[in-house]
Amino acid sequence: MNAIIPAPELASDLAGPNPPVVLDVRWQLGGPNLRSEYEKAHIPGAVFVDLDSELAGPAGVGGRHPLPDPKVFAAAMRAAGVSVDRDVVVYDGGLGWGAARAWWLLAYTGHPSVRVLDGGLAAWSGPVSSEIPAPAAGDFVPAPGAKPLLDADGAAALARTGLLLDARAGERYRGEVEPIDPVGGHIPGAVSAPTTENVTGDGRFRPAAELADRFKSLGATGTPEVGVYCGSGVSGAHEVLALAVAGIPAALYAGSWSEWTRDGSRPVAVGPDPQ
C-alpha cells in the first residue's frame, strides 16, 4: 500500500462502507499544543493526537522526542479507535512532520495499513467540523520492531557501512547555526538531505520517480542499508516516509541529534562534507 493518500481518495474512502480511522496530529516545534485549532475545525470524525505526550516520551537522555512508553502509545491509539483490521489515515497542518511521526510509530509497532494525507489539512477541500467525536475503543496492540530502528551506535556504524541521511536544514548540518541542541554539526559520515526538499511548495510530496532520483543522487543505490536522523526524530520520520514513497526502505535513528549531542564523547563533524 502507498504510504500517502491524496485528499480526493480520502474523501471517497470516508464516504464508503469501511471508512478509515482519521487522526489529527497538528503540532508545532517548541509551541503549545494545537488541540485548540483542532477543536475549531478538523476533518469530520478525526481524533486529535498530541505528539509531545502521546507520540513521544519525556525529553531526557534519549533526546527531545524519544519513543513513547508503549503503554501510553497503545492507550492513545485505542482511545482514538485504532484497530488492527481498520485502515488509518493521519494528517497535520500541512508540514507533514507530525503526521509522519504517527505514521512511522504505527508502522513500527505493526499496524498493517496506515497512510499520511498528502499535503495535510491544507490539501483538504471537503467539509470540516468542530464536533468532537467519541469513537468506540480500538483493539490495536503495538508490537514494536516492524520497521528498522537505529540507536546511536547503529547510526554511527551505518554512516560508515551504508548511507545515513541527515534530514535537518543544511545550515544545521554544516554547523553554521544550531538553534535548539547543544552543538551544531552532524554525525561523521552522514550525508545532508533536508527533508524540506522532498515536497513541493504546497507541502505535497514530489512524485515517486523524482524522489527516487533524488535519493539515488545522494547515494541510495546499491547500499546495504539506508538510515535517517534529524534533530529529535520527527522530521526524520518525514524523510523515512519520503523514502517509502520512493520505494526505498530506511531505518530511523529516533534519538537523532538531540540524543547524539547529549553525550559529549560522541564525535561531531562540521562543514559541507560528510567526514
Side-chain angles (χ1 to χ4, degrees):
M1 175 178 287
N2 197 341
I4 58 176
I5 180 172
E9 185 176 342
L10 174 58
S12 177
D13 288 354
L14 287 173
N18 299 300
V21 172
V22 181
L23 305 180
D24 184 311
V25 198
R26 275 178 275 183
W27 171 78
Q28 56 183 339
L29 179 63
N33 179 301
L34 290 179
R35 184 178 178 90
S36 61
E37 295 301 310
Y38 161 81
E39 292 176 347
K40 293 175 185 175
H42 52 263
I43 294 175
V47 177
F48 182 77
V49 175
D50 180 49
L51 188 149
D52 288 318
S53 65
E54 296 174 323
L55 304 183
V61 294
R64 285 184 281 108
H65 290 102
L67 297 186
D69 181 297
K71 292 181 180 178
V72 172
F73 177 65
M77 293 301 98
R78 289 196 290 269
V82 175
S83 294
V84 70
D85 61 351
R86 191 173 173 192
D87 294 350
V88 178
V89 174
V90 294
Y91 73 88
D92 57 24
L95 185 62
W97 294 3
R101 173 73 171 211
W103 166 84
W104 185 87
L105 274 169
L106 281 164
Y108 170 70
T109 55
H111 197 284
S113 178
V114 54
R115 290 178 287 176
V116 170
L117 174 59
D118 194 18
L121 188 61
W124 177 255
S125 60
V128 294
S129 174
S130 60
E131 182 179 350
I132 307 302
D139 62 11
F140 180 61
V141 178
K147 273 189 170 293
L149 175 68
L150 296 171
D151 59 12
D153 290 341
L158 184 57
R160 297 189 300 269
T161 63
L163 176 65
L164 182 65
L165 299 175
D166 185 317
R168 299 172 301 156
E171 58 269 24
R172 293 182 68 191
Y173 170 89
R174 295 187 296 271
E176 296 166 357
V177 298
E178 182 43 65
I180 305 171
D181 294 310
V183 63
H186 58 270
I187 296 173
V191 174
S192 180
T195 199
T196 52
E197 296 179 15
N198 295 322
V199 296
T200 60
D202 61 4
R204 290 180 173 88
F205 280 99
R206 298 187 183 280
E210 196 173 314
L211 288 171
D213 286 343
R214 182 192 184 215
F215 292 122
K216 180 179 179 180
S217 73
L218 292 169
T221 302
T223 57
E225 188 178 353
V226 177
V228 179
Y229 75 96
C230 59
S232 65
V234 178
S235 66
H238 189 265
E239 184 121 301
V240 173
L241 176 58
L243 282 153
V245 172
I248 302 168
L252 177 67
Y253 172 25
S256 287
W257 191 245
S258 61
E259 179 191 40
W260 183 271
T261 54
R262 282 180 181 268
D263 183 342
S265 69
R266 294 194 181 109
V268 170
V270 296
D273 298 324
Q275 302 297 339

